[in-house]
Amino acid sequence: MKKKIVAMLLTAAMATSMAVPAFAAEEAPIDLTGIDVENTTIGIAIYQFADNFMTLYREELVDYLVSLGFKESNIMVQDGKNDQAEQTNQINNFITAGVDVMILNLVQSSSAPQVTDLCNEAGIPVVYINRQPDEAESDRWVAEGIKATYVGADARQSGTFQGEIVLETANKGDINGDGKISYIMVQGDPENVDAQYRTEFSVKALTDAGMEVEELLLQRGDWDQAKGQQIVQDALTQFGDQIEVVFCNNDAMGLGAMQSILAAGRVVNEDIYLLGVDALTDALDNIIAGNYTGTVFNDHISQAHEAANEAIKFLKGEEVAPINMVDYAKVTTDNAAEVLEMLK
């Protein structure tokens, strides 16, 4: 199993701007008293196996559950194939199979009320991960005593950190010195709250710091590397040297953007900045190599462990808070090598 990690190791230079707790090599032991771990069944539904970040997440989640003593043969993991109808069918199959708890990464977070009701009627607790149901839904869990919770990270923080990385450069993102930051935004799924918040708060960090901004392009990339590459290729053709900053809602699209930036002869950190989210290893390698300005560590390890721990609380009949958040952390050339080593 991968190293047990509760949070990022902070560098001294960045400590003032992060609310992430200090690195810890080991987590407190989980009390499994009263749980028949060898016979407990767990249903896990992932929106799409092809997603790089969710692949890391689900692998860590299964590894962690197995390390606690749950049998891998009793952990059922399904690929929603980015199709909510397909995923709802998988959830119904979990119900028919009588799983003891579900951990769900919904294709569409707007489906949470329907899915919650299905699980609640079957008497199965549910832990939602990565894609947050809206506030009205989580409020309903509390009001109606429904055994449901959400584990994730506040995407507003990740967007803010992207903007702060730009502000921490020597020219604060204003490469051509014209008094404004001209940027393009490669967005994930605009219906996804993470995409919405990362898009909004990356720019808000700039304007809150008193910077003038100019949006040259906002285009949907669906979290996909090939789409990110095409969007940025076309944008570079259309806007050329006007583009000073490329914001991408995730590293998959960011890595695609990087391919187009390098192919166009642009020099990252000299005549253009490139930002992503997730801290994929390829992104970290390219930060170290100077081809990528920075990313934001979306801590799949702590999130996966927290999701499992909340599921265990449900199995033990304990009270579970409706929302459980894990912090993000900024990654630049200052700490990328350290983060990469930690993730190996």
Side-chain angles (χ1 to χ4, degrees):
M1 194 187 81
K2 297 181 181 71
K3 293 179 182 178
K4 293 182 179 180
I5 301 172
V6 193
M8 282 284 298
L9 173 61
L10 303 183
T11 60
M14 303 175 75
T16 58
S17 60
M18 297 183 195
V20 187
F23 175 88
E26 296 294 331
E27 298 175 23
I30 303 302
D31 182 6
L32 298 171
T33 303
I35 300 176
D36 181 3
V37 291
E38 290 196 357
N39 293 305
T40 296
T41 54
I42 303 169
I44 300 173
I46 303 299
Y47 96 95
Q48 181 170 250
F49 279 10
D51 184 289
N52 305 49
F53 174 74
M54 287 312 301
T55 296
L56 295 173
Y57 194 127
R58 66 181 165 86
E59 289 176 350
E60 182 64 29
L61 178 57
V62 172
D63 285 351
Y64 180 64
L65 287 166
V66 170
S67 78
L68 294 176
F70 294 95
K71 291 179 66 174
E72 189 164 3
S73 59
N74 289 335
I75 303 170
M76 294 165 271
V77 188
Q78 294 292 320
D79 179 3
K81 301 176 183 177
N82 206 24
D83 182 332
Q84 187 58 59
E86 171 77 13
Q87 187 179 66
T88 300
N89 185 55
Q90 293 166 353
I91 292 166
N92 277 315
N93 289 339
F94 286 156
I95 292 171
T96 300
V99 299
D100 295 296
V101 65
M102 291 191 212
I103 300 174
L104 307 179
N105 167 222
L106 293 177
V107 174
Q108 297 173 346
S109 58
S110 58
S111 297
Q114 174 196 1
V115 172
T116 300
D117 288 342
L118 288 172
C119 296
N120 188 46
E121 289 166 11
I124 301 172
V126 58
V127 179
Y128 290 108
I129 60 172
N130 185 250
R131 295 186 169 188
Q132 186 174 5
D134 65 27
E135 187 176 354
E137 175 62 5
S138 54
D139 287 347
R140 183 173 75 97
W141 305 337
V142 176
E144 299 181 17
I146 295 172
K147 292 183 178 179
T149 188
Y150 173 72
V151 173
D154 187 345
R156 289 170 290 198
Q157 186 185 51
S158 62
T160 298
F161 283 173
Q162 282 189 315
E164 288 180 356
I165 292 171
V166 173
L167 292 170
E168 289 162 5
T169 63
N171 49 31
K172 297 185 177 181
D174 182 14
I175 293 172
N176 60 20
D178 67 353
K180 63 185 177 184
I181 301 171
S182 300
Y183 70 91
I184 64 170
M185 181 72 65
V186 186
Q187 192 175 37
D189 175 357
E191 295 183 4
N192 179 276
V193 68
D194 283 10
Q196 294 167 11
Y197 282 154
R198 289 172 187 173
T199 297
E200 176 185 355
F201 281 81
S202 55
V203 178
K204 185 175 185 296
L206 303 180
T207 56
D208 283 353
M211 302 298 292
E212 183 181 343
V213 299
E214 176 186 24
E215 180 183 276
L216 299 173
L217 178 71
L218 166 62
Q219 190 164 337
R220 171 181 188 153
D222 290 319
W223 314 110
D224 184 77
Q225 182 165 337
K227 289 183 180 180
Q229 181 176 1
Q230 188 63 55
I231 289 167
V232 175
Q233 178 181 304
D234 293 345
L236 288 168
T237 299
Q238 180 178 358
F239 299 106
D241 292 344
Q242 288 179 262
I243 303 172
E244 295 171 297
V245 177
V246 177
F247 286 113
C248 296
N249 282 174
N250 74 344
D251 280 337
M253 296 186 297
L255 289 165
M258 182 192 72
Q259 292 174 290
S260 292
I261 288 168
L262 297 179
R266 300 290 292 271
V267 182
V268 175
N269 297 330
E270 290 187 19
D271 63 21
I272 196 167
Y273 294 117
L274 172 61
L275 290 304
V277 176
D278 285 339
L280 297 180
T281 54
D282 283 351
L284 296 173
D285 283 334
N286 279 288
I287 291 172
I288 294 166
N291 297 323
Y292 206 98
T293 304
T295 185
V296 183
F297 180 39
N298 193 0
D299 190 349
H300 65 278
I301 299 171
S302 294
Q303 289 180 63
H305 293 197
E306 183 64 24
N309 294 344
E310 296 305 318
I312 289 166
K313 289 180 184 178
F314 276 134
L315 292 169
K316 294 176 66 177
E318 296 179 358
E319 289 293 320
V320 175
I323 305 294
N324 303 272
M325 290 296 192
V326 173
D327 278 321
Y328 287 93
K330 285 185 281 187
V331 185
T332 66
T333 53
D334 291 335
N335 63 345
E338 189 172 29
V339 175
L340 184 61
E341 179 63 28
M342 183 185 74
L343 293 175
K344 288 181 179 178

